[in-house]
Amino acid sequence: MQTKISASVLSADLAHLADQCQLALDAGVDMLHIDVMDGHFVPNLTYGAPVLSCLHRALPDACYDVHLMIDDPDRYALDFAKAGADLITFHLEAPVDPSATIAAIRMAGCRVGISIRPATPVEKVFPYLGEVDMVLVMSVEPGFGGQAFLPETPSRLAAVRRELDRRGLTTDLQVDGGVNDDTAPLCVKAGANVLVVGSALYHAADPAALTTHLHNLTHAACP
């Protein structure tokens, strides 16, 4: 399974957001990861659909990987789809009916991801594996960028990948939080094939070299 890199623009210089997104694309990333926070589901606020709409106008060919860390993903899915989202991920822990949210996102015309926080047992997501295009296992507590990678993450990824393989599913498995050139091989060896990279990318002296290095590390780590 081809490994992909999604650049978390939460770590970008927001005063130059379009340029920072272009920098990531020029460095070779596959997607732009847009973290949406409402100040309720997580204790932080970020950007809404109008920001994505502006980015999409500036960079219409980019793939937008939208991560909704919000209480009401059903309400806002259509707004983000209209703004240019290609993939919309919501949290299993949000106070919604997951199957209804999956249906709402699909009706909006986007691929669907479902995410779990570090404290949520991975088995909780198993009933929905056949309904989604991607599972996102958080490797930090959602809400803020720049956190350290939680060491239990590889075993959680491996448990999800085993269940996907048992069912014969080709669902993407994404990991987000503290992913860098040291932790990326651990994630891919455990079964992740989509890596969200933020601080490591935007703080790198040479983002293109780092992206190439990450691709090479992940490919080398694949069985």
Side-chain angles (χ1 to χ4, degrees):
M1 187 177 289
Q2 177 65 47
T3 300
K4 301 174 185 176
I5 297 175
S6 191
S8 177
V9 302
L10 187 64
S11 298
D13 179 352
L14 299 183
H16 307 281
L17 186 53
D19 289 342
Q20 292 274 282
C21 289
Q22 186 64 63
L23 179 152
L25 294 169
D26 290 344
V29 306
D30 303 283
M31 297 181 281
L32 298 174
H33 188 84
I34 311 296
D35 284 310
V36 179
M37 308 179 195
D38 62 1
H40 297 282
F41 183 76
V42 293
N44 197 7
L45 288 165
T46 56
Y47 17 68
V51 172
L52 177 58
S53 181
C54 291
L55 275 179
H56 189 262
R57 285 198 298 272
L59 301 168
D61 296 328
C63 179
Y64 292 95
D65 167 24
V66 175
H67 179 192
L68 299 181
M69 288 173 271
I70 64 177
D71 279 337
D72 197 355
D74 298 30
R75 176 181 175 186
Y76 292 101
L78 183 59
D79 289 344
F80 281 96
K82 288 180 177 178
D86 295 286
L87 168 68
I88 296 177
T89 298
F90 72 99
H91 269 264
L92 178 65
E93 302 89 355
V96 295
D97 172 359
S99 291
T101 301
I102 291 166
I105 294 171
R106 288 214 185 280
M107 286 188 66
C110 293
R111 290 181 290 134
V112 185
I114 189 168
S115 181
I116 50 173
R117 299 174 104 144
T120 300
V122 294
E123 293 78 13
K124 294 285 188 182
V125 82
F126 288 1
Y128 308 102
L129 294 181
E131 300 180 44
V132 298
D133 302 292
M134 187 179 77
V135 176
L136 166 54
V137 174
M138 293 298 299
S139 45
V140 298
E141 187 59 36
F144 296 92
Q147 298 182 64
F149 182 85
L150 293 172
E152 61 269 26
T153 302
S155 64
R156 288 167 57 78
L157 289 166
V160 177
R161 179 54 70 192
R162 281 194 300 270
E163 184 63 15
L164 290 170
D165 289 347
R166 187 184 73 82
R167 299 190 193 187
L169 297 171
T170 58
T171 308
D172 286 329
L173 181 55
Q174 185 178 66
V175 59
D176 180 6
V179 177
N180 55 38
D181 54 353
D182 293 322
T183 58
L186 303 175
C187 294
V188 174
K189 186 175 181 180
N193 69 296
V194 185
L195 308 175
V196 178
V197 184
S199 298
L201 178 72
Y202 282 108
H203 296 164
D206 186 342
L210 175 66
T211 302
T212 299
H213 181 50
L214 286 176
H215 274 128
N216 289 339
L217 279 173
T218 54
H219 292 164
C222 290

